[in-house]
Amino acid sequence: MTVEQRVTYCRICEPLCGLIATVENERLISLRPDPENPLSKGRCCPKGVAFTDVQNDPDRVLNPLRRRPDGGFDVVGWDDALDDIAARLAAIIGTHGGESVGQYFGNPAAFSYATGLWPGLFMARIGSKHLYSAGSQDINSRFVASKLLYGAVSQLPFPDLPRTDFLFMLGANPLVSHGSAVRAPRMKDDLSGIVRRGGRVVVVDPRRTETARAFEHLAVRPDSDAWLLLSMLQVIFDQGLDDATATEQQARGGATLRELCLPFTPESTEAHTGVPAAELRALARDFANAPTATAYGRTGACLGRHGTLVSFLLDALTLVTGNFDRPGGTLLSRGVIPLEEFAERADRLTYDTARSRIGGLPDVNGTFPAAVMAEEITTPGAGRMRALFVLAGNPVLSVPNGDALAEAIGELDLCVSFDFYVNETNKHADYVLPATTMLERHDLPIGFAACSPTVFVQGTEPVVAPYGEARPEWEVYRDIARRMGLSLFATGPLERVNGVLAWLDRRGLIRVTPRGMIEMLLRVGPHGDRFGLRRGGLNPKRLRENPHGIVVSEHAPAGLLGEVVRHSDKKVWLDPPQILDEVERLGAREPADPAFPLRLIGLRELRSQNSWMHNSPTLMRGNRRHRARINVVDARQAGLYDGDQVRITSPSGSIETEVLVTDEVQPGTIAVPHGWGHRGGWQLANSAPGASVNVLTSNSPGDLEVLAGMSVLNGVPVRIEPVAVPQ
Ligand SMILES: Nc1nc2c(c(=O)[nH]1)N[C@H]1C(S)=C(S)[C@@H](COP(=O)(O)OP(=O)(O)OC[C@H]3O[C@@H](n4cnc5c(=O)[nH]c(N)nc54)[C@H](O)[C@@H]3O)O[C@H]1N2
Ligand SMILES: Nc1nc2c(c(=O)[nH]1)N[C@H]1C(S)=C(S)[C@@H](COP(=O)(O)OP(=O)(O)OC[C@H]3O[C@@H](n4cnc5c(=O)[nH]c(N)nc54)[C@H](O)[C@@H]3O)O[C@H]1N2
Ligand code: SF4
Ligand SMILES: [Mo]
């Protein structure tokens, strides 16, 4: 017996906490926090440890599964599966063109560079026009705000937590979510540190969350943040608290922004936001007068009807107070591995260069709103989606009106999923292909890992060999392409020589792999060794010699504006026409429908990860189940008591679940977690009572946020009533 301790890091969520895996004969025995990881320093959360349950789950899919006509699945060999998929795909492309093939990229895929690269090449090669991702339920509004402000979709400005004196946090609950678009594995320490230094952490949230309770809470009405922020800016401009010199230096359009805010006095927005005018004035003053300050928002900022505007205003607030691109303020992100930077320079990260067939909504990074997927499948005519690849996603539970999507999948000519579970989505697919877990692949951090106040990089080798027949997604895409006689590199002018490239590839003469590509980027990146030209620079060997990770510099740099901003004048734009139009639309919002008096918001739980960790016995201990949080005033009015079954109805649908009466939410607000209501191949998850909150959210194109096509998942109007229990 050989028992080994292997150093790695967690890729379930964004802090990427250091982990130590105990492995015996290539089986994972346990996971524990890595005390030697310089960032997480022996900290990790229950999900990280419980990933052992996922890795070893008896319900895990370890062989390719092919759908039977009766709805069940047969185990098949890889060759049979891939031959059939390639043949069917070729036929679909032959008849309807590559544009009829779609792909949905789920959240976990964002944690694997290889899963981003090869499937991306494949879809580009066949000319897919149906790309979707979890981003339209998560962060695309933030990306669009960045496109408008900086000309760079991939830019994710983040708070300089270790140095700030004032963190204004809007719509985030990092003590539970562990932080998103800011990488801080010891988040609690970082936030407490601000207070210890004499600073403040103010949490703007409709719910008195775990984070709000630990710091200062400012309760707002759901989906009213745009008014709140416009008022803060109004006060700052009106009282001359803005830093005119910094604004002039860094931005254009300051005067337009000032004018835009004029009508939004705190007194005029108070009824909307529920925040007393005097309190708001004091807050705006304190933020502007703090030695350093940063405004940060996450999903609660992104998922309302004006998510792009809210994300935009958060950065604007930081900038006009002289806190942008400065230590202690908001810093600009720059990857140690410059994947996004290269894509930006190649103009590959687009916004509004194409519109969706359904709804005419703009592309963000080449992807369209996942909310329209169902209609893209069911609506006849040119450009209809005929085939769909689902990569590490469960959109039936995660996108609005998921039931419509579940039904639509049945109309596809081909649906293929890469997952390690049969989930609520791929149970309708033709094939479920067994994917490798995070512990079964090489990784280097990309994407939001760049949002790190400490510049840090860690690589990891696979901790265990793939279980069963599991394969990395990128290899499967490569093998499907080979079977179709396609070279993934024969794009653009090279398409003419596809035959030659495909021939070379089949004979193993093209040796490009995702790993080779990403390691090359590491070496040419801002801290790379430039293949020996820069002594002491990063290279794969150094990463292997330092498995716990390397602190590249204690603090992320300020002063990146000139490098990062892609507008031709190298200035931040505070006056884009899209934003001026959006502010106009604020005034044009139709009055609330009295039939739906409550506002629904989301909620994340410590021992859940979206929809996919409810099969872990460790995490499900203690009779965990789905519960809707409502205030005692609303409960009493509806005749509901703690533990009762409640029917929640929105204009889109109706669910039944259990009620938790709490003063965490104010009267008028109801908080319901997403990712429940299981009916997949995960037996423990299926047995937990609950419903999918996305039955209540709308996938109608007219109900999506206008600028980014974001699903509106917060502030949804609903009503509640008791479910009659038979006596
Ligand atoms: N109402 C409401 N809806 C929401 C949200 C909300 O706040 N409210 N939040 C939204 C957000 S922020 C997100 S990110 C989305 C998530 O939406 P999705 O990404 O569509 O769904 P997940 O629940 O994350 O499911 C991920 C799937 O990937 C599988 N998986 C896990 N790891 C891997 C891997 O390494 N490889 C492969 N191939 N598969 C893997 C899991 O088994 C699971 O089936 O949900 C969104 N939906
Ligand atoms: N334990 C756990 N951790 C996770 C996840 C998980 O499912 N479980 N999911 C991961 C993913 S995919 C993501 S994207 C991140 C998200 O990271 P966060 O955004 O930090 O996660 P949430 O806990 O959803 O925080 C959003 C907050 O916004 C509030 N909110 C809702 N509506 C409004 C509004 O209109 N205005 C304001 N101001 N606030 C509002 C909610 O009450 C909630 O507290 O978390 C990641 N981490
Ligand atoms: S917070 Fe938990 S789930 Fe997220 S990376 Fe760290 S250990 Fe993994
Ligand atoms: Mo997310």
Side-chain angles (χ1 to χ4, degrees), residues 104-108 134 137-138 299 303 391-395 397-399 418-421 423 435-438 441 473 602 604 609-612 674 682 693-694 697 713:
Y104 173 85
F105 198 79
N107 173 267
Q137 290 65 250
D138 183 346
T299 57
L303 295 175
L391 257 173
N394 193 5
L397 293 193
S398 66
V399 311
F418 297 78
D419 212 294
F420 33 71
Y421 285 111
N423 64 24
T436 46
T437 68
M438 67 181 186
R441 63 177 184 245
E473 297 90 344
R604 281 184 160 73
Q609 176 66 14
N610 297 319
S611 75
W612 66 273
H674 69 283
W682 26 33
V693 74
N694 282 320
T697 53
L713 305 177

Side-chain angles (χ1 to χ4, degrees), residues 107-157:
N107 173 267
F111 293 86
S112 161
Y113 66 83
T115 310
L117 288 173
W118 256 234
L121 289 176
F122 185 89
M123 288 295 147
R125 179 66 185 86
I126 63 173
S128 163
K129 295 231 164 33
H130 281 292
L131 301 179
Y132 306 92
S133 83
S136 55
Q137 290 65 250
D138 183 346
I139 198 165
N140 282 2
S141 45
R142 168 67 257 183
F143 289 151
V144 173
S146 289
K147 179 71 185 181
L148 302 177
L149 284 158
Y150 317 115
V153 184
S154 64
Q155 179 49 231
L156 287 174

Side-chain angles (χ1 to χ4, degrees), residues 414-452:
L414 179 66
C415 180
V416 178
S417 157
F418 297 78
D419 212 294
F420 33 71
Y421 285 111
V422 172
N423 64 24
E424 287 67 28
T425 304
N426 63 24
K427 75 173 199 178
H428 304 285
D430 297 294
Y431 283 96
V432 180
L433 302 179
T436 46
T437 68
M438 67 181 186
L439 300 179
E440 296 166 347
R441 63 177 184 245
H442 172 261
D443 255 320
L444 280 172
I446 49 161
F448 21 61
C451 303
S452 183

Side-chain angles (χ1 to χ4, degrees), residues 281-538:
R281 285 181 181 283
L283 176 66
R285 236 183 349 255
D286 293 349
F287 183 88
N289 287 334
T292 62
T294 171
Y296 159 77
R298 217 26 284 284
T299 57
C302 285
L303 295 175
R305 271 202 280 180
H306 305 283
T308 304
L309 176 61
V310 172
S311 296
F312 176 95
L313 292 171
L314 284 165
D315 286 8
L317 184 62
T318 305
L319 191 142
V320 304
T321 52
N323 287 299
F324 193 71
D325 196 25
R326 301 267 161 87
T330 292
L331 299 175
L332 290 157
S333 61
R334 184 175 68 179
V336 173
I337 295 167
L339 184 62
E340 286 76 19
E341 286 79 356
F342 268 71
E344 287 284 0
R345 264 182 252 155
D347 284 326
R348 294 291 295 276
L349 301 180
T350 54
Y351 167 58
D352 202 6
T353 52
R355 293 264 165 168
S356 60
R357 183 176 71 116
I358 303 297
L361 291 147
D363 83 285
V364 180
N365 267 338
T367 68
F368 294 110
V372 304
M373 271 196 298
E375 276 192 69
E376 289 283 7
I377 296 168
T378 56
T379 309
R384 181 176 183 177
M385 199 200 314
R386 310 276 176 168
L388 176 64
F389 287 80
V390 180
L391 257 173
N394 193 5
V396 164
L397 293 193
S398 66
V399 311
N401 196 0
D403 288 350
L405 180 64
E407 230 166 90
I409 289 174
E411 291 189 31
L412 288 167
D413 295 337
L414 179 66
C415 180
V416 178
S417 157
F418 297 78
D419 212 294
F420 33 71
Y421 285 111
V422 172
N423 64 24
E424 287 67 28
T425 304
N426 63 24
K427 75 173 199 178
H428 304 285
D430 297 294
Y431 283 96
V432 180
L433 302 179
T436 46
T437 68
M438 67 181 186
L439 300 179
E440 296 166 347
R441 63 177 184 245
H442 172 261
D443 255 320
L444 280 172
I446 49 161
F448 21 61
C451 303
S452 183
T454 301
V455 184
F456 179 71
V457 65
Q458 181 177 14
T460 178
E461 298 297 325
V463 161
V464 289
Y467 281 17
E469 295 274 298
R471 285 187 189 176
E473 297 90 344
W474 74 271
E475 285 185 19
V476 180
Y477 277 77
R478 178 199 62 193
D479 294 346
I480 294 173
R482 280 184 181 160
R483 280 170 165 79
M484 293 168 70
L486 294 176
S487 163
L488 295 181
F489 301 101
T491 48
L494 288 180
E495 202 171 324
R496 278 181 295 133
V497 290
N498 175 73
V500 180
L501 291 173
W503 185 88
L504 290 170
D505 176 43
R506 269 198 311 278
R507 272 153 194 77
L509 295 170
I510 296 183
R511 297 239 176 82
V512 192
T513 61
R515 181 167 183 168
M517 229 181 223
I518 211 79
E519 290 182 340
M520 193 264 295
L521 279 177
L522 170 78
R523 300 183 75 174
V524 301
H527 310 286
D529 74 347
R530 305 266 156 94
F531 297 93
L533 290 178
R534 191 198 275 143
R535 270 214 276 156
L538 296 173

Side-chain angles (χ1 to χ4, degrees), residues 610-646:
N610 297 319
S611 75
W612 66 273
M613 293 193 83
H614 292 144
N615 212 48
S616 154
T618 313
L619 295 177
M620 293 300 277
R621 262 202 295 252
N623 185 25
R624 281 196 64 211
R625 59 209 186 275
H626 190 233
R627 287 184 296 181
R629 278 75 167 167
I630 58 171
N631 186 274
V632 65
V633 173
D634 295 322
R636 208 171 296 149
Q637 203 166 358
L640 281 160
Y641 294 88
D642 203 48
D644 281 358
Q645 283 292 110
V646 60

